[in-house]
């Protein structure tokens, strides 16, 4: 009976919203900044989509917080979508958007395995469902409660502080406004020389006061994960935003969007005409751990079915756009694309400004909380979380 039940559970969402074969059309399909001509490049398109890491509901993992749920079915879909967006950023960071491809059974570079291991359903993996659910407590979400796109963004911003391997700067925009000055302040860091490298924070050095010609003093750039939470209407998406929203999927920095329908999150990765293409986390699979040789069997982390589509006007208006800028020139390029394509609209989807607004609190780049227990990886239970003064230690200023 249980095996029948698990088979049924796996099929449960395949009946809803499932698509007919992709139509034969001369239209372009855009997937995360890459275009495919549907008529002639259908197999290339499908393999590009199946290469994305796909995170779904899982069951039979160790209980969250020791006594909490051992499955996220029914509540973890937005967390899984956040994981997919972040995983795409890490793939761009280590493997590149253009150069890397995935095939079943094909041996992958070691960075690929390491990225996958960041997301396994274990409390010691930095972006696991355990870490995300527990970090959500500091955002006012109890474990097992559904997250919205902005909450996931805030949680990823905090967890990234404990991820030294990727060393990402995560910026979550506030009030529909992206501030160039604040992002540059957060991402430009002065590389420390070996003798001074300690625990002190990396210093920010402006380009203007560098000593010319000494590469040792050039500010390095922390790879940027930029998340823009938006409300594109009151109860449904306002059609005036459709073109600008689609334009974001064409940008080479695109990480897609988090959104969907109320309590039903999807990871949107592209579009065809007025239909959005998405990866759906609503399939329950069994927990997968590393094998004895230290690798992860990745067969259940890629969606090999034809991807699902949804009319853009059926989208819930609460969404979060994601972008990845590995180098400063990628961010500068993103700014000029936004000025050209997003800010030209009469009703702008979001604002991009040079200077920090004077009526906002000062911008404080996120820093690791100064607590005796140093990392989220050591938070084993919600009781332990509640011992901290959450406001002071865990709530990082979101401006």
């Amino acid at each position: 009976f249980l095996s029948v039940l698990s088979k049924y559970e796996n099929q449960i969402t395949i009946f809803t919203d499932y698509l007919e074969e992709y139509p034969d059309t001369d239209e372009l399909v855009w997937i995360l900044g890459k275009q495919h001509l549907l008529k002639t490049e259908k197999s290339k398109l499908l393999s590009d989509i199946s290469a994305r890491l796909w995170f779904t509901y899982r069951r039979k993992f160790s209980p969250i917080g020791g006594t909490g749920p051992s499955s996220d079915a029914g509540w973890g879909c937005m967390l899984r979508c956040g994981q997919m967006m972040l995983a795409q950023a890490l793939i761009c960071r280590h493997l590149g958007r253009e150069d890397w491809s995935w095939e079943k059974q094909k041996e992958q570079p070691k960075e690929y395995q390491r990225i996958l291991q960041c997301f396994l359903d274990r409390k010691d993996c930095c972006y696991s469902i355990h870490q995300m659910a527990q970090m959500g407590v500091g955002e006012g979400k109890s474990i097992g409660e559904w997250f919205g796109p902005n909450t996931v963004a805030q949680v990823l911003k905090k967890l990234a502080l404990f991820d030294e391997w990727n060393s990402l700067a995560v910026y979550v925009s506030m009030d529909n406004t992206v501030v160039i000055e604040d992002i540059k302040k957060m991402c430009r860091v002065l590389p420390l020389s070996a003798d001074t490298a300690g625990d002190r924070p990396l210093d920010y050095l402006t380009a203007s006061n560098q000593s010319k010609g000494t590469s040792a003093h050039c500010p390095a750039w922390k790879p940027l994960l930029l998340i823009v939470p938006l409300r594109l209407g009151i109860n449904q998406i306002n059609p005036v935003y459709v073109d600008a929203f689609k334009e974001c999927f064409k940008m080479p920095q695109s990480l897609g969007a988090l959104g969907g329908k109320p309590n039903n999150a999807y990871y949107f990765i592209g579009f065809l005409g007025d239909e959005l293409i998405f990866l759906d986390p609503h399939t329950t699979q069994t927990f997968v751990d590393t094998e004895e040789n230290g690798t992860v069997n990745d067969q259940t982390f890629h969606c090999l079915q034809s991807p699902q589509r949804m009319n853009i006007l059926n989208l819930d208006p609460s969404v979060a756009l994601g972008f990845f800028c590995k180098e400063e020139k990628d961010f500068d390029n993103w700014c000029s694309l936004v000025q050209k394509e997003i800010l030209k609209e009469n009703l702008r989807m979001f604002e991009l400004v040079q200077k920090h607004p004077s009526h906002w609190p000062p911008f404080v780049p996120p820093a690791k909380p100064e607590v005796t227990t140093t990392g989220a990886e050591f938070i084993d239970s919600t009781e332990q979380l509640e011992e901290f003064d959450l406001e002071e230690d865990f709530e990082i200023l979101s401006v």
Side-chain angles (χ1 to χ4, degrees):
F1 171 74
L2 281 175
S3 70
V4 171
L5 186 69
S6 71
K7 266 186 193 154
Y8 172 68
E9 212 173 348
N10 276 332
Q11 297 302 316
I12 221 156
T13 56
I14 291 168
F15 303 127
T16 59
D17 284 343
Y18 210 66
L19 56 90
E20 75 284 15
E21 255 315 297
Y22 269 59
D24 240 1
T25 161
D26 288 327
E27 278 189 272
L28 282 174
V29 182
W30 285 90
I31 302 290
L32 302 172
K34 252 177 130 168
Q35 59 177 26
H36 299 276
L37 191 59
L38 196 55
K39 218 168 198 166
T40 54
E41 301 179 315
K42 201 175 276 190
S43 65
K44 220 168 94 187
L45 164 70
L46 294 175
S47 64
D48 190 24
I49 294 170
S50 65
R52 302 311 109 218
L53 282 173
W54 178 49
F55 297 122
T56 68
Y57 289 154
R58 296 269 169 178
R59 60 173 178 273
K60 296 187 180 172
F61 48 70
S62 67
I64 296 175
T67 55
S70 55
S71 168
D72 62 313
W75 59 270
C77 55
M78 187 62 87
L79 286 78
R80 297 301 186 180
C81 292
Q83 287 180 326
M84 288 190 259
M85 179 180 275
L86 179 58
Q88 180 58 24
L90 300 187
I91 280 173
C92 293
R93 168 149 176 31
H94 295 285
L95 305 170
R97 176 70 183 97
E98 293 297 328
D99 316 324
W100 174 78
S101 66
W102 178 86
E103 284 165 41
K104 214 172 173 180
Q105 312 294 358
K106 186 180 113 183
E107 197 177 330
Q108 290 297 338
K110 61 181 189 309
E111 292 88 350
Y112 167 81
Q113 277 288 331
R114 197 167 172 188
I115 290 167
L116 199 45
Q117 289 178 20
C118 292
F119 298 94
L120 296 181
D121 305 316
R122 292 171 19 176
K123 67 180 183 187
D124 58 343
C125 295
C126 56
Y127 301 113
S128 64
I129 194 84
H130 298 65
Q131 293 296 352
M132 292 184 76
Q134 292 186 163
M135 200 54 102
V137 173
E139 295 296 321
K141 297 285 183 185
S142 50
I143 289 171
E145 195 177 339
W146 195 81
F147 283 27
N150 185 51
T151 307
V152 166
Q154 299 298 340
V155 162
L156 291 177
K157 180 167 90 169
K158 290 177 180 178
L159 290 178
L161 298 169
F162 301 99
D163 172 15
E164 283 169 14
W165 175 50
N166 291 298
S167 182
L168 291 180
V170 181
Y171 178 91
V172 182
S173 69
M174 203 179 86
D175 292 347
N176 289 4
T177 305
V178 175
V179 182
I180 295 171
E181 176 184 62
D182 294 347
I183 287 176
K184 296 224 167 183
K185 192 172 176 180
M186 185 166 78
C187 292
R188 280 180 178 168
V189 289
L190 177 62
L192 295 174
S193 60
D195 52 41
T196 59
D199 288 338
R200 68 187 186 82
L202 293 169
D203 296 316
Y204 164 58
L205 183 71
T206 56
S208 58
N209 62 18
Q210 288 173 44
S211 47
K212 286 196 176 104
T214 50
S215 59
H217 292 290
C218 280
W221 176 266
K222 281 184 93 164
L224 168 68
L225 168 57
L226 168 56
I227 304 176
V228 186
L230 297 171
R231 184 139 195 113
L232 301 177
I234 298 168
N235 297 317
Q236 58 198 75
I237 189 166
N238 185 331
V240 300
Y241 296 122
V242 165
D243 288 343
F245 188 73
K246 283 160 57 172
E247 208 58 49
C248 292
F249 292 97
K250 297 182 183 179
M251 296 177 182
Q253 301 83 359
S254 174
L255 294 175
L258 309 176
K261 300 169 183 174
N263 296 339
N264 220 357
Y266 303 129
Y267 175 40
F268 295 97
I269 56 171
F271 71 90
L272 163 65
D274 280 332
E275 289 188 310
L276 296 173
I277 296 167
F278 63 91
L279 293 176
D280 186 352
H282 301 90
T283 293
T284 309
Q285 305 188 90
T286 304
F287 161 64
V288 169
D289 206 347
T290 45
E291 298 184 350
E292 276 177 29
N293 64 3
T295 64
V296 179
N297 181 339
D298 68 351
Q299 297 309 299
T300 62
F301 292 101
H302 291 273
C303 183
L304 300 177
Q305 301 156 340
S306 207
Q308 301 199 47
R309 293 175 309 183
M310 169 177 144
N311 187 292
I312 196 164
L313 294 174
N314 294 336
L315 185 67
D316 185 83
S318 180
V319 297
L321 297 168
F323 303 96
F324 178 70
C325 303
K326 187 174 182 176
E327 295 172 26
E328 186 166 7
K329 66 174 196 282
D330 300 322
F331 176 61
D332 293 339
N333 171 258
W334 179 82
C335 291
S336 60
L337 287 171
V338 167
Q339 272 155 347
K340 199 167 117 230
E341 302 297 344
I342 309 295
L343 305 186
K344 68 175 185 191
E345 305 287 341
N346 289 335
L347 202 55
R348 293 171 172 180
M349 195 162 64
F350 60 88
E351 296 291 342
L352 176 66
V353 299
Q354 189 67 48
K355 294 265 173 236
H356 185 84
S358 56
H359 60 282
W360 283 12
F363 176 72
V364 182
K368 238 190 221 186
E370 294 296 319
V371 286
T372 46
T373 319
T374 47
E377 62 268 33
F378 297 116
I379 298 168
D380 290 340
S381 70
T382 44
E383 288 78 30
Q384 201 176 329
L385 244 182
E386 281 149 12
E387 286 167 24
F388 297 129
D389 177 357
L390 286 176
E391 273 307 304
E392 192 179 302
D393 292 325
F394 267 82
E395 191 59 42
I396 286 145
L397 213 58
S398 62
V399 297

